[in-house]
Amino acid sequence: MTTTATARGVFFFKRFLSSPREVGALCPSTRHLAALMVRDLRLDHGATVVEYGVGTGSFTPTIQQLVEATPGARYLGVEREPEFVDILRARFPKLGFANDQVEDIERLLRERQLPAPQAILSGLPLILLPTMEEIVRRTYEVLAPGGEFRTFSYLQSYPTRAAGRLRRLLRDTFDEYSASEFCWRNFPPALVLRGRKRRS
């Protein structure tokens, strides 16, 4: 299977046209947004990192660098589109991927005997998903003490009611909440939303 950046971009756009609510974007995110997603993220020895909605792997190379720089760290990418999972397994043969839905994250971690994640990074279009509240709640429950959940919000959707509901949900669910500056070198521009679970 061809996995060049151009081929992945074309395939991503076709999947957006066929399933806009599930894919959520016209094109993959840039490396600049990927860098913002992991900025200041510190992993402990043996940490588990989970990536939701991996797509064709826009964030994955940056996350992989972080995982490989952390002794004993393990990665799990969860992607429901089987065509995307085929691309991911070809691009990242050293990483583990589940062709499944993130709502079942507890089962996926248990089946792979992975410890509670220290970081969960999401590329999902959460504000378009009817299970947004369930996903956020389950994410908080499975995170290790002190763990972080990070997702992003596009500039054009930021003022919408759905995006406001997501921000309130993160503030109400997590013990600490913060947001980054906008990443202008992404199409569309986006900012990162962060929720942290208390350590005790």
Side-chain angles (χ1 to χ4, degrees), residues 2-12:
T2 302
T3 58
T4 65
T6 300
R8 292 194 301 271
V10 171
F11 183 72
F12 191 98

Side-chain angles (χ1 to χ4, degrees), residues 89-172:
R89 287 174 175 159
R91 285 188 70 195
F92 308 103
K94 294 182 179 180
L95 299 181
F97 298 96
N99 181 197
D100 218 310
Q101 55 189 23
V102 302
E103 290 86 347
D104 291 329
I105 185 60
E106 292 167 287
R107 172 179 58 81
L108 295 173
L109 292 168
R110 185 172 61 251
E111 289 175 349
R112 289 157 179 79
Q113 298 182 333
L114 291 171
Q118 189 174 2
I120 298 179
L121 310 173
S122 175
L124 292 171
L126 285 173
I127 64 173
L128 301 179
L129 301 181
T131 56
M132 178 177 72
E133 287 85 358
E134 178 186 356
I135 291 170
V136 171
R137 177 179 58 80
R138 289 182 182 273
T139 296
Y140 181 86
E141 290 172 354
V142 302
L143 274 174
E148 283 194 43
F149 173 63
R150 297 187 179 187
T151 187
F152 64 91
S153 180
Y154 288 126
L155 175 64
Q156 81 275 15
S157 64
Y158 190 84
T160 65
R161 184 174 299 177
R165 190 170 74 250
L166 172 60
R167 295 192 296 274
R168 287 192 300 274
L169 178 64
L170 293 174
R171 283 195 296 266
D172 293 344

